[in-house]
Amino acid sequence: MSNVLVELSNAMAAAAEKAGASTVLVNARRRMSASGIAYAADLILTADHVVEQEEGMTVTLPDGSMLGAKLAGRDPGSDLALLRLERPAAKPAEMTPDARIGQLVLALGRPSTEGIEASLGVVSAVGGPVRTPRGMLDRYIRTDTTPYPGFSGGPLVDAEGRVAGLNTSGFGRGTALTIPASLAWKVAAQLAEHGSVQRGYLGIRSQGVEISEAAQKALKREQAAGLVVVSVESGSPAETGGMMVGDILVGLDHQPTQDHDELFVRLSGDAVGKSIPVEILRGGQPQTLKVKVGVRP
Amino acid sequence: MKLMPLFDSALDDLLARIRGVLVIVRDGRRGKGAGVLAGDGLVLTNNHVAGGGRSLQVTLEDGSSHQARVLRRNPGADLALLQIPANGHPAAVFSTREPRPGEMVFAFGHPWGQPNVLTGGVLSAVTTARSRGGELPILRSDVQLAPGNSGGPLLNAAGEVLGLNTMIYGGDQSMAIPASVIREFLAEARKTMPRPPVPEDVL
Protein backbone atom coordinates (compact mmCIF):
# COMPACT_ATOMS: atom_id res chain seq x y z
CA MET A 1 0.00 0.00 0.00
CA SER A 2 1.15 3.47 -0.73
CA ASN A 3 0.42 6.73 1.01
CA VAL A 4 2.30 9.85 1.96
CA LEU A 5 3.84 8.15 5.02
CA VAL A 6 5.20 5.28 2.96
CA GLU A 7 6.45 7.70 0.32
CA LEU A 8 8.17 9.85 2.91
CA SER A 9 9.65 6.78 4.57
CA ASN A 10 10.97 5.49 1.26
CA ALA A 11 12.40 8.91 0.45
CA MET A 12 14.23 9.01 3.77
CA ALA A 13 15.63 5.53 3.33
CA ALA A 14 16.69 6.51 -0.21
CA ALA A 15 18.37 9.66 1.14
CA ALA A 16 20.25 7.55 3.70
CA GLU A 17 21.26 5.11 0.98
CA LYS A 18 22.44 7.84 -1.39
CA ALA A 19 24.51 9.71 1.19
CA GLY A 20 25.54 6.38 2.74
CA ALA A 21 27.32 5.52 -0.52
CA SER A 22 29.69 8.42 0.25
CA THR A 23 29.94 7.75 3.99
CA VAL A 24 32.96 5.72 5.04
CA LEU A 25 34.38 4.14 8.16
CA VAL A 26 37.54 5.82 9.44
CA ASN A 27 39.99 3.90 11.58
CA ALA A 28 42.39 6.46 12.98
CA ARG A 29 42.20 5.97 16.73
CA ARG A 30 42.73 3.04 18.98
CA ARG A 31 39.47 2.29 20.67
CA MET A 32 36.67 3.34 18.43
CA SER A 33 36.29 3.89 14.74
CA ALA A 34 34.54 6.95 13.38
CA SER A 35 32.90 8.08 10.16
CA GLY A 36 34.00 10.17 7.21
CA ILE A 37 32.60 11.80 4.08
CA ALA A 38 34.06 11.30 0.59
CA TYR A 39 35.07 14.83 -0.48
CA ALA A 40 36.75 13.53 -3.62
CA ALA A 41 37.46 10.06 -5.01
CA ASP A 42 40.73 9.99 -3.07
CA LEU A 43 39.95 12.45 -0.25
CA ILE A 44 37.98 11.76 2.92
CA LEU A 45 36.81 14.53 5.18
CA THR A 46 36.45 13.58 8.84
CA ALA A 47 36.56 15.09 12.31
CA ASP A 48 40.03 16.10 13.47
CA HIS A 49 39.54 14.75 16.99
CA VAL A 50 39.04 11.18 15.75
CA VAL A 51 42.46 11.21 14.06
CA GLU A 52 44.64 10.23 17.01
CA GLN A 53 47.29 8.38 15.05
CA GLU A 54 48.80 9.34 11.72
CA GLU A 55 50.39 5.94 11.09
CA GLY A 56 48.44 2.93 9.88
CA MET A 57 45.15 4.70 9.27
CA THR A 58 42.56 2.83 7.24
CA VAL A 59 39.30 3.74 5.60
CA THR A 60 36.59 1.17 4.88
CA LEU A 61 34.37 2.01 1.92
CA PRO A 62 30.66 1.15 1.72
CA ASP A 63 31.48 -1.92 -0.44
CA GLY A 64 33.60 -3.28 2.43
CA SER A 65 37.00 -2.72 0.83
CA MET A 66 39.62 -1.37 3.22
CA LEU A 67 42.18 1.15 2.01
CA GLY A 68 45.22 2.71 3.62
CA ALA A 69 45.03 6.43 4.24
CA LYS A 70 47.46 9.24 4.98
CA LEU A 71 46.80 12.60 6.54
CA ALA A 72 46.44 15.29 3.88
CA GLY A 73 45.87 18.06 6.38
CA ARG A 74 44.11 19.02 9.56
CA ASP A 75 42.49 22.05 11.13
CA PRO A 76 41.92 21.52 14.86
CA GLY A 77 40.17 24.88 15.16
CA SER A 78 37.23 23.69 13.07
CA ASP A 79 37.74 20.01 14.07
CA LEU A 80 38.26 18.93 10.47
CA ALA A 81 40.84 16.60 8.99
CA LEU A 82 41.36 15.45 5.42
CA LEU A 83 42.67 11.96 4.63
CA ARG A 84 44.15 10.88 1.32
CA LEU A 85 43.31 7.35 0.21
CA GLU A 86 46.00 5.13 -1.29
CA ARG A 87 43.98 5.15 -4.51
CA PRO A 88 40.87 7.00 -5.70
CA ALA A 89 37.98 4.64 -4.94
CA ALA A 90 35.36 6.63 -3.02
CA LYS A 91 32.17 8.13 -4.38
CA PRO A 92 32.26 11.90 -3.73
CA ALA A 93 29.30 13.23 -1.78
CA GLU A 94 26.86 15.77 -3.16
CA MET A 95 26.87 18.88 -1.00
CA THR A 96 24.22 21.47 -0.23
CA PRO A 97 25.07 24.84 1.33
CA ASP A 98 21.55 25.24 2.69
CA ALA A 99 20.36 24.53 6.21
CA ARG A 100 17.04 25.94 7.38
CA ILE A 101 15.70 25.80 10.89
CA GLY A 102 12.99 23.17 11.09
CA GLN A 103 14.28 21.26 8.06
CA LEU A 104 14.10 17.46 8.26
CA VAL A 105 17.57 15.90 8.46
CA LEU A 106 19.26 12.56 9.04
CA ALA A 107 22.54 12.11 10.84
CA LEU A 108 24.44 9.25 9.22
CA GLY A 109 27.41 7.26 10.35
CA ARG A 110 29.32 4.13 9.51
CA PRO A 111 30.72 3.16 12.92
CA SER A 112 31.17 -0.49 11.95
CA THR A 113 31.37 -2.74 8.92
CA GLU A 114 27.78 -3.81 9.56
CA GLY A 115 26.48 -0.90 7.54
CA ILE A 116 25.16 2.59 7.60
CA GLU A 117 23.40 3.95 10.69
CA ALA A 118 20.88 6.78 10.79
CA SER A 119 19.10 9.03 13.21
CA LEU A 120 16.32 11.51 12.47
CA GLY A 121 15.88 15.09 13.56
CA VAL A 122 15.38 18.66 12.50
CA VAL A 123 17.74 21.60 12.20
CA SER A 124 17.35 23.30 15.58
CA ALA A 125 19.64 26.29 15.13
CA VAL A 126 22.05 27.86 12.69
CA GLY A 127 24.58 30.21 14.20
CA GLY A 128 28.15 31.31 14.66
CA PRO A 129 30.85 32.32 15.01
CA VAL A 130 31.47 30.24 18.11
CA ARG A 131 34.67 29.69 20.04
CA THR A 132 35.87 26.09 20.10
CA PRO A 133 38.40 24.51 22.46
CA ARG A 134 41.09 24.96 19.81
CA GLY A 135 39.96 27.91 17.76
CA MET A 136 36.89 29.32 16.19
CA LEU A 137 34.07 27.98 14.09
CA ASP A 138 32.70 30.49 11.62
CA ARG A 139 29.26 28.92 11.41
CA TYR A 140 27.54 25.91 12.92
CA ILE A 141 24.32 23.93 12.65
CA ARG A 142 22.67 22.37 15.68
CA THR A 143 20.17 19.53 15.31
CA ASP A 144 18.21 17.23 17.60
CA THR A 145 19.53 14.09 15.90
CA THR A 146 21.07 11.47 18.19
CA PRO A 147 24.86 11.39 17.95
CA TYR A 148 25.49 7.65 18.23
CA PRO A 149 28.98 6.40 19.08
CA GLY A 150 31.18 6.57 15.99
CA PHE A 151 29.06 9.22 14.25
CA SER A 152 31.74 11.93 14.46
CA GLY A 153 32.93 12.77 10.94
CA GLY A 154 29.72 11.53 9.34
CA PRO A 155 27.30 13.61 7.30
CA LEU A 156 24.15 15.51 8.16
CA VAL A 157 21.89 14.70 5.24
CA ASP A 158 18.91 16.55 3.80
CA ALA A 159 15.74 14.91 2.47
CA GLU A 160 17.35 14.49 -0.94
CA GLY A 161 20.44 12.74 0.34
CA ARG A 162 22.73 15.75 0.00
CA VAL A 163 25.33 16.50 2.64
CA ALA A 164 24.41 19.62 4.61
CA GLY A 165 27.27 19.30 7.09
CA LEU A 166 29.70 17.16 9.03
CA ASN A 167 28.68 16.01 12.50
CA THR A 168 31.13 16.12 15.37
CA SER A 169 31.04 15.73 19.11
CA GLY A 170 34.61 17.02 19.29
CA PHE A 171 33.79 20.43 20.70
CA GLY A 172 33.18 18.98 24.14
CA ARG A 173 30.55 19.63 26.74
CA GLY A 174 28.75 16.50 25.60
CA THR A 175 27.04 18.28 22.75
CA ALA A 176 27.22 17.48 19.09
CA LEU A 177 27.48 20.18 16.47
CA THR A 178 27.38 20.11 12.72
CA ILE A 179 29.93 21.99 10.64
CA PRO A 180 28.00 23.41 7.66
CA ALA A 181 28.97 21.81 4.35
CA SER A 182 29.83 25.17 2.78
CA LEU A 183 32.41 25.78 5.52
CA ALA A 184 33.63 22.18 5.64
CA TRP A 185 34.14 22.10 1.85
CA LYS A 186 36.04 25.39 1.99
CA VAL A 187 38.32 24.05 4.71
CA ALA A 188 38.75 20.78 2.80
CA ALA A 189 39.84 22.67 -0.32
CA GLN A 190 42.49 24.49 1.71
CA LEU A 191 43.63 21.32 3.45
CA ALA A 192 43.94 19.56 0.08
CA GLU A 193 46.05 22.41 -1.28
CA HIS A 194 48.12 23.58 1.70
CA GLY A 195 47.79 20.84 4.34
CA SER A 196 46.49 23.39 6.78
CA VAL A 197 44.02 26.24 6.87
CA GLN A 198 45.69 29.54 6.19
CA ARG A 199 44.61 32.25 8.56
CA GLY A 200 44.94 35.86 7.61
CA TYR A 201 47.39 38.16 9.37
CA LEU A 202 47.44 41.93 9.74
CA GLY A 203 50.13 42.33 12.40
CA ILE A 204 48.26 44.39 14.97
CA ARG A 205 47.32 44.00 18.59
CA SER A 206 43.99 45.51 19.47
CA GLN A 207 41.48 46.00 22.24
CA GLY A 208 37.74 46.41 22.16
CA VAL A 209 36.48 49.97 22.58
CA GLU A 210 33.18 51.77 22.50
CA ILE A 211 32.55 54.07 19.59
CA SER A 212 31.15 57.47 20.51
CA GLU A 213 27.88 58.64 19.01
CA ALA A 214 29.66 61.43 17.18
CA ALA A 215 32.03 58.93 15.59
CA GLN A 216 29.10 56.65 14.70
CA LYS A 217 27.48 59.60 12.96
CA ALA A 218 30.67 60.23 11.01
CA LEU A 219 30.73 56.52 10.17
CA LYS A 220 27.10 56.80 8.93
CA ARG A 221 26.03 53.59 10.66
CA GLU A 222 25.17 52.27 14.09
CA GLN A 223 28.16 50.39 15.39
CA ALA A 224 28.69 50.53 19.13
CA ALA A 225 32.10 48.88 19.26
CA GLY A 226 35.36 48.56 17.38
CA LEU A 227 38.97 47.55 17.99
CA VAL A 228 41.57 50.12 18.96
CA VAL A 229 45.03 49.34 17.63
CA VAL A 230 47.55 49.22 20.51
CA SER A 231 50.58 48.04 18.55
CA VAL A 232 51.63 47.51 14.94
CA GLU A 233 54.39 45.01 14.21
CA SER A 234 57.17 46.37 12.07
CA GLY A 235 57.16 45.13 8.50
CA SER A 236 53.67 43.71 8.91
CA PRO A 237 50.85 44.04 6.37
CA ALA A 238 49.17 46.57 8.68
CA GLU A 239 52.26 48.80 8.80
CA THR A 240 52.76 48.56 5.04
CA GLY A 241 49.12 49.51 4.59
CA GLY A 242 49.50 52.58 6.79
CA MET A 243 47.75 51.49 9.99
CA MET A 244 48.83 53.32 13.14
CA VAL A 245 48.55 52.86 16.90
CA GLY A 246 45.37 54.60 18.07
CA ASP A 247 43.39 53.80 14.91
CA ILE A 248 40.04 52.20 15.68
CA LEU A 249 39.41 49.28 13.35
CA VAL A 250 35.69 49.27 12.51
CA GLY A 251 35.46 47.25 9.33
CA LEU A 252 37.25 44.78 7.10
CA ASP A 253 36.36 43.96 3.53
CA HIS A 254 33.04 45.88 3.77
CA GLN A 255 31.99 43.98 6.92
CA PRO A 256 31.95 45.55 10.41
CA THR A 257 34.48 44.30 12.98
CA GLN A 258 33.11 44.93 16.45
CA ASP A 259 35.20 42.43 18.39
CA HIS A 260 38.03 39.94 18.11
CA ASP A 261 35.70 37.09 17.07
CA GLU A 262 34.52 39.06 14.06
CA LEU A 263 38.05 40.07 13.15
CA PHE A 264 39.13 36.43 13.40
CA VAL A 265 36.34 35.27 11.12
CA ARG A 266 36.95 38.03 8.54
CA LEU A 267 40.61 37.04 8.39
CA SER A 268 39.98 33.34 7.87
CA GLY A 269 40.01 31.55 4.57
CA ASP A 270 39.79 33.56 1.39
CA ALA A 271 41.19 36.85 2.70
CA VAL A 272 44.79 35.62 2.62
CA GLY A 273 46.87 37.26 -0.10
CA LYS A 274 44.18 39.74 -1.07
CA SER A 275 44.29 43.52 -0.79
CA ILE A 276 41.18 44.36 1.16
CA PRO A 277 39.71 47.66 2.36
CA VAL A 278 40.34 48.26 6.07
CA GLU A 279 37.95 50.77 7.58
CA ILE A 280 39.27 52.75 10.54
CA LEU A 281 38.42 55.77 12.66
CA ARG A 282 41.35 58.15 13.01
CA GLY A 283 40.77 61.26 15.06
CA GLY A 284 37.06 60.45 15.02
CA GLN A 285 36.90 60.47 11.22
CA PRO A 286 36.42 57.38 9.04
CA GLN A 287 39.17 56.45 6.60
CA THR A 288 39.70 53.45 4.39
CA LEU A 289 43.15 51.93 3.92
CA LYS A 290 44.16 49.11 1.62
CA VAL A 291 45.95 46.25 3.35
CA LYS A 292 47.28 43.12 1.70
CA VAL A 293 46.43 40.33 4.14
CA GLY A 294 49.37 38.09 5.01
CA VAL A 295 49.54 34.51 6.31
CA ARG A 296 49.62 34.12 10.06
CA PRO A 297 52.97 32.60 10.97
CA MET B 1 -3.46 19.10 -1.04
CA LYS B 2 -0.76 20.37 1.26
CA LEU B 3 1.86 17.92 2.44
CA MET B 4 1.59 18.44 6.21
CA PRO B 5 -2.19 17.80 6.44
CA LEU B 6 -1.66 14.75 4.18
CA PHE B 7 0.98 13.56 6.63
CA ASP B 8 -1.40 14.05 9.56
CA SER B 9 -4.24 12.13 7.96
CA ALA B 10 -1.87 9.34 6.87
CA LEU B 11 -0.73 9.07 10.51
CA ASP B 12 -4.39 8.88 11.64
CA ASP B 13 -5.00 6.09 9.12
CA LEU B 14 -1.93 4.22 10.35
CA LEU B 15 -3.06 4.49 13.94
CA ALA B 16 -6.60 3.35 13.10
CA ARG B 17 -5.22 0.33 11.29
CA ILE B 18 -2.83 -0.80 14.03
CA ARG B 19 -4.85 0.11 17.13
CA GLY B 20 -6.58 -3.24 17.39
CA VAL B 21 -3.44 -5.40 17.34
CA LEU B 22 -1.83 -3.84 20.41
CA VAL B 23 -2.65 -5.37 23.79
CA ILE B 24 -1.70 -4.81 27.41
CA VAL B 25 0.03 -7.72 29.17
CA ARG B 26 -0.04 -7.80 32.98
CA ASP B 27 1.42 -10.52 35.12
CA GLY B 28 -0.35 -9.58 38.34
CA ARG B 29 2.52 -8.37 40.44
CA ARG B 30 4.61 -6.47 37.97
CA GLY B 31 3.80 -3.51 35.76
CA LYS B 32 2.34 -3.39 32.32
CA GLY B 33 3.97 -4.57 29.19
CA ALA B 34 2.72 -4.64 25.63
CA GLY B 35 1.89 -7.43 23.24
CA VAL B 36 0.87 -7.95 19.64
CA LEU B 37 -2.07 -10.06 18.41
CA ALA B 38 -0.72 -12.60 15.94
CA GLY B 39 -3.96 -14.37 14.94
CA ASP B 40 -5.74 -17.46 16.34
CA GLY B 41 -5.75 -15.98 19.84
CA LEU B 42 -1.97 -15.85 19.89
CA VAL B 43 -0.28 -12.93 21.62
CA LEU B 44 3.34 -12.20 20.97
CA THR B 45 5.30 -10.42 23.68
CA ASN B 46 8.72 -10.30 25.31
CA ASN B 47 9.80 -13.19 27.48
CA HIS B 48 10.65 -10.71 30.21
CA VAL B 49 7.12 -9.31 30.04
CA ALA B 50 5.61 -12.79 30.39
CA GLY B 51 7.74 -13.20 33.50
CA GLY B 52 6.87 -16.21 35.60
CA GLY B 53 3.85 -16.88 33.43
CA ARG B 54 1.40 -17.07 36.31
CA SER B 55 -1.82 -15.07 36.41
CA LEU B 56 -1.10 -13.43 33.09
CA GLN B 57 -3.81 -11.06 31.90
CA VAL B 58 -4.15 -9.73 28.37
CA THR B 59 -6.32 -6.65 27.85
CA LEU B 60 -7.51 -5.99 24.32
CA GLU B 61 -8.22 -2.64 22.73
CA ASP B 62 -11.99 -3.06 23.40
CA GLY B 63 -11.19 -3.19 27.14
CA SER B 64 -11.92 -6.90 27.59
CA SER B 65 -9.42 -8.83 29.74
CA HIS B 66 -8.49 -12.45 29.24
CA GLN B 67 -6.52 -15.06 31.12
CA ALA B 68 -3.45 -16.03 29.14
CA ARG B 69 -1.12 -18.99 29.29
CA VAL B 70 2.40 -19.19 27.95
CA LEU B 71 2.57 -21.39 24.88
CA ARG B 72 6.22 -21.06 24.03
CA ARG B 73 9.30 -19.12 25.04
CA ASN B 74 12.61 -18.16 23.48
CA PRO B 75 14.59 -16.53 26.30
CA GLY B 76 17.61 -15.98 24.02
CA ALA B 77 15.59 -13.77 21.69
CA ASP B 78 13.41 -12.50 24.57
CA LEU B 79 10.24 -13.75 22.86
CA ALA B 80 7.17 -15.39 24.39
CA LEU B 81 3.94 -16.53 22.80
CA LEU B 82 0.76 -16.39 24.84
CA GLN B 83 -2.60 -17.95 24.14
CA ILE B 84 -5.88 -16.30 24.96
CA PRO B 85 -9.29 -17.86 24.33
CA ALA B 86 -10.59 -14.81 22.54
CA ASN B 87 -10.74 -14.97 18.79
CA GLY B 88 -11.87 -13.11 15.71
CA HIS B 89 -9.63 -10.18 16.56
CA PRO B 90 -7.35 -8.47 14.10
CA ALA B 91 -3.86 -9.85 13.60
CA ALA B 92 -0.69 -7.92 12.98
CA VAL B 93 0.99 -8.10 9.57
CA PHE B 94 4.65 -8.98 9.96
CA SER B 95 6.84 -7.27 7.38
CA THR B 96 8.65 -9.47 4.91
CA ARG B 97 10.62 -6.58 3.47
CA GLU B 98 14.27 -5.95 4.16
CA PRO B 99 14.47 -3.15 6.77
CA ARG B 100 16.36 -0.08 5.49
CA PRO B 101 18.30 2.34 7.70
CA GLY B 102 16.68 5.77 7.49
CA GLU B 103 13.16 4.46 6.90
CA MET B 104 10.45 5.81 9.16
CA VAL B 105 9.47 3.69 12.15
CA PHE B 106 6.87 3.96 14.91
CA ALA B 107 6.80 2.34 18.32
CA PHE B 108 3.38 1.57 19.75
CA GLY B 109 3.04 0.66 23.40
CA HIS B 110 2.30 1.76 26.92
CA PRO B 111 5.34 3.77 28.08
CA TRP B 112 5.24 4.40 31.83
CA GLY B 113 1.81 2.75 31.90
CA GLN B 114 0.27 5.27 29.52
CA PRO B 115 -1.86 3.18 27.18
CA ASN B 116 -1.55 3.25 23.38
CA VAL B 117 1.24 5.77 22.87
CA LEU B 118 2.79 6.19 19.43
CA THR B 119 6.37 7.47 19.12
CA GLY B 120 8.23 8.00 15.86
CA GLY B 121 11.75 8.00 14.51
CA VAL B 122 13.86 6.25 11.95
CA LEU B 123 15.45 2.84 11.74
CA SER B 124 19.04 3.51 12.79
CA ALA B 125 20.79 0.25 12.11
CA VAL B 126 20.28 -3.36 11.13
CA THR B 127 22.76 -5.10 13.36
CA THR B 128 23.40 -7.87 15.85
CA ALA B 129 23.60 -8.06 19.62
CA ARG B 130 25.10 -10.67 21.87
CA SER B 131 22.54 -12.48 23.97
CA ARG B 132 22.24 -15.66 25.98
CA GLY B 133 21.37 -17.45 22.76
CA GLY B 134 24.49 -16.18 20.97
CA GLU B 135 24.46 -13.54 18.23
CA LEU B 136 21.00 -12.16 17.70
CA PRO B 137 19.83 -9.98 14.82
CA ILE B 138 18.63 -6.64 16.14
CA LEU B 139 16.97 -3.53 14.76
CA ARG B 140 18.13 -0.30 16.36
CA SER B 141 16.07 2.86 16.10
CA ASP B 142 15.98 6.36 17.54
CA VAL B 143 12.34 6.14 18.66
CA GLN B 144 11.66 7.00 22.28
CA LEU B 145 10.94 3.91 24.37
CA ALA B 146 10.20 3.62 28.06
CA PRO B 147 9.27 0.75 30.38
CA GLY B 148 5.86 -0.39 29.13
CA ASN B 149 6.94 -0.39 25.49
CA SER B 150 8.42 -3.86 25.91
CA GLY B 151 6.60 -6.41 23.78
CA GLY B 152 4.99 -3.72 21.64
CA PRO B 153 5.44 -3.43 17.90
CA LEU B 154 7.98 -1.41 15.96
CA LEU B 155 6.04 -0.52 12.82
CA ASN B 156 7.04 0.68 9.38
CA ALA B 157 5.22 3.47 7.54
CA ALA B 158 2.79 0.95 6.05
CA GLY B 159 1.75 -0.23 9.51
CA GLU B 160 3.48 -3.61 9.22
CA VAL B 161 5.37 -5.00 12.21
CA LEU B 162 9.11 -4.62 11.58
CA GLY B 163 10.05 -5.86 15.02
CA LEU B 164 9.14 -6.25 18.66
CA ASN B 165 10.48 -3.52 20.97
CA THR B 166 12.62 -5.13 23.60
CA MET B 167 15.00 -2.86 25.38
CA ILE B 168 16.66 0.51 25.63
CA TYR B 169 20.38 0.61 25.18
CA GLY B 170 22.73 3.36 26.29
CA GLY B 171 19.82 5.67 27.11
CA ASP B 172 19.05 6.69 23.56
CA GLN B 173 18.95 3.59 21.38
CA SER B 174 15.95 1.35 21.14
CA MET B 175 16.35 -2.31 20.29
CA ALA B 176 13.76 -4.46 18.55
CA ILE B 177 13.70 -8.14 17.61
CA PRO B 178 13.31 -8.18 13.81
CA ALA B 179 10.24 -9.64 12.08
CA SER B 180 12.38 -12.36 10.47
CA VAL B 181 13.17 -13.83 13.90
CA ILE B 182 9.56 -13.43 15.00
CA ARG B 183 8.18 -15.18 11.92
CA GLU B 184 10.50 -18.12 12.52
CA PHE B 185 9.48 -18.27 16.19
CA LEU B 186 5.78 -18.18 15.24
CA ALA B 187 6.22 -20.85 12.59
CA GLU B 188 7.92 -23.21 15.04
CA ALA B 189 5.30 -22.50 17.68
CA ARG B 190 2.49 -23.24 15.26
CA LYS B 191 4.19 -26.52 14.25
CA THR B 192 4.36 -27.79 17.82
CA MET B 193 1.04 -26.51 19.01
CA PRO B 194 -0.85 -29.51 20.47
CA ARG B 195 -3.97 -28.73 18.44
CA PRO B 196 -5.25 -25.78 16.54
CA PRO B 197 -6.94 -23.30 18.87
CA VAL B 198 -10.68 -23.77 18.79
CA PRO B 199 -12.55 -20.56 18.18
CA GLU B 200 -14.59 -19.58 21.19
CA ASP B 201 -17.89 -19.29 19.36
CA VAL B 202 -17.81 -22.91 18.20
CA LEU B 203 -17.83 -24.28 21.73
Side-chain angles (χ1 to χ4, degrees):
Chain A
M1 71 148 291
S2 183
N3 63 30
V4 66
L5 271 189
V6 176
E7 278 174 40
L8 180 57
S9 178
N10 286 339
M12 281 172 11
E17 207 168 286
K18 178 183 166 189
S22 303
T23 304
V24 301
L25 184 153
V26 172
N27 254 315
R29 56 180 171 179
R30 203 169 285 169
R31 280 209 307 248
M32 199 172 55
S33 47
S35 304
I37 305 169
Y39 168 75
D42 63 336
L43 292 171
I44 303 297
L45 194 58
T46 187
D48 178 67
H49 78 275
V50 306
V51 181
E52 291 179 358
Q53 61 193 57
E54 293 189 15
E55 295 295 308
M57 286 189 292
T58 61
V59 165
T60 304
L61 301 179
D63 67 5
S65 59
M66 190 160 78
L67 276 74
K70 287 201 160 58
L71 192 68
R74 63 198 308 172
D75 181 43
S78 61
D79 196 27
L80 288 170
L82 194 68
L83 312 182
R84 196 179 298 278
L85 299 177
E86 62 186 66
R87 62 185 159 82
K91 186 175 183 292
E94 188 187 336
M95 174 272 247
T96 170
D98 302 323
R100 291 163 64 204
I101 293 168
Q103 181 188 344
L104 204 59
V105 284
L106 292 169
L108 286 194
R110 195 178 288 281
S112 76
T113 51
E114 281 181 339
I116 200 81
E117 297 195 9
S119 129
L120 175 70
V122 294
V123 171
S124 311
V126 179
V130 61
R131 280 178 190 274
T132 66
R134 288 181 292 176
M136 181 84 68
L137 197 61
D138 192 351
R139 289 186 76 66
Y140 67 83
I141 300 170
R142 214 172 41 230
T143 71
D144 62 356
T145 58
T146 307
Y148 293 139
F151 263 38
S152 272
L156 186 76
V157 174
D158 76 355
E160 290 176 58
R162 297 176 300 192
V163 175
L166 180 142
N167 302 316
T168 176
S169 52
F171 294 127
R173 279 175 265 144
T175 56
L177 277 186
T178 303
I179 303 162
S182 50
L183 175 62
W185 257 242
K186 206 164 85 177
V187 170
Q190 292 193 45
L191 293 179
E193 195 178 344
H194 307 291
S196 63
V197 171
Q198 295 191 309
R199 305 276 185 207
Y201 170 72
L202 294 176
I204 57 166
R205 284 177 204 283
S206 60
Q207 279 176 4
V209 287
E210 279 181 29
I211 296 173
S212 68
E213 285 196 16
Q216 289 189 50
K217 252 185 206 143
L219 200 57
K220 295 196 183 88
R221 65 168 183 255
E222 280 182 27
Q223 181 175 338
L227 293 162
V228 63
V229 176
V230 295
S231 78
V232 178
E233 299 195 2
S234 71
S236 67
E239 191 191 54
T240 311
M243 288 181 80
M244 287 160 56
V245 170
D247 288 346
I248 298 173
L249 179 62
V250 290
L252 212 63
D253 204 9
H254 311 293
Q255 301 272 350
T257 50
Q258 304 199 64
D259 53 36
H260 288 113
D261 287 3
E262 288 189 354
L263 177 61
F264 190 95
V265 169
R266 309 270 178 265
L267 283 176
S268 64
D270 328 331
V272 175
K274 283 189 199 150
S275 274
I276 57 169
V278 173
E279 196 181 10
I280 58 164
L281 288 168
R282 185 176 289 171
Q285 290 304 311
Q287 278 192 30
T288 301
L289 307 172
K290 276 269 178 193
V291 175
K292 190 176 179 215
V293 179
V295 181
R296 182 149 23 116
Chain B
M1 217 179 152
K2 288 266 170 60
L3 192 56
M4 290 300 260
L6 268 178
F7 181 84
D8 278 354
S9 67
L11 211 51
D12 283 345
D13 289 351
L14 176 88
L15 204 54
R17 230 169 327 115
I18 60 173
R19 254 198 122 83
V21 304
L22 180 73
V23 303
I24 300 169
V25 180
R26 285 193 190 82
D27 90 337
R29 284 163 304 146
R30 298 192 315 180
K32 286 176 196 169
V36 177
L37 288 174
D40 303 329
L42 298 176
V43 178
L44 189 71
T45 187
N46 282 140
N47 188 47
H48 78 265
V49 171
R54 263 176 293 181
S55 62
L56 278 176
Q57 285 277 333
V58 169
T59 305
L60 304 181
E61 203 245 338
D62 62 10
S64 63
S65 275
H66 307 268
Q67 281 282 21
R69 66 186 181 93
V70 179
L71 214 59
R72 192 179 175 88
R73 291 176 188 272
N74 180 347
D78 197 15
L79 289 175
L81 195 62
L82 316 181
Q83 173 86 64
I84 56 171
N87 215 322
H89 291 283
V93 177
F94 293 89
S95 171
T96 52
R97 274 177 282 182
E98 199 65 36
R100 297 166 75 192
E103 78 170 281
M104 205 184 272
V105 289
F106 299 95
F108 200 27
H110 321 295
W112 305 114
Q114 285 249 77
N116 307 329
V117 173
L118 190 75
T119 49
V122 293
L123 186 72
S124 295
V126 182
T127 177
T128 55
R130 217 160 282 156
S131 82
R132 274 181 286 178
E135 288 266 293
L136 184 71
I138 280 282
L139 302 178
R140 255 180 23 222
S141 68
D142 63 1
V143 291
Q144 289 273 338
L145 295 189
N149 272 114
S150 280
L154 184 74
L155 302 151
N156 65 16
E160 301 167 340
V161 177
L162 269 187
L164 206 68
N165 294 314
T166 292
M167 63 183 282
I168 304 152
Y169 174 78
D172 52 12
Q173 300 188 56
S174 302
M175 307 278 227
I177 309 295
S180 56
V181 175
I182 295 170
R183 279 202 314 273
E184 208 173 298
F185 175 69
L186 283 175
E188 275 172 35
R190 286 212 160 91
K191 241 188 282 170
T192 56
M193 260 157 61
R195 55 176 186 276
V198 182
E200 207 172 35
D201 50 5
V202 177
L203 291 175

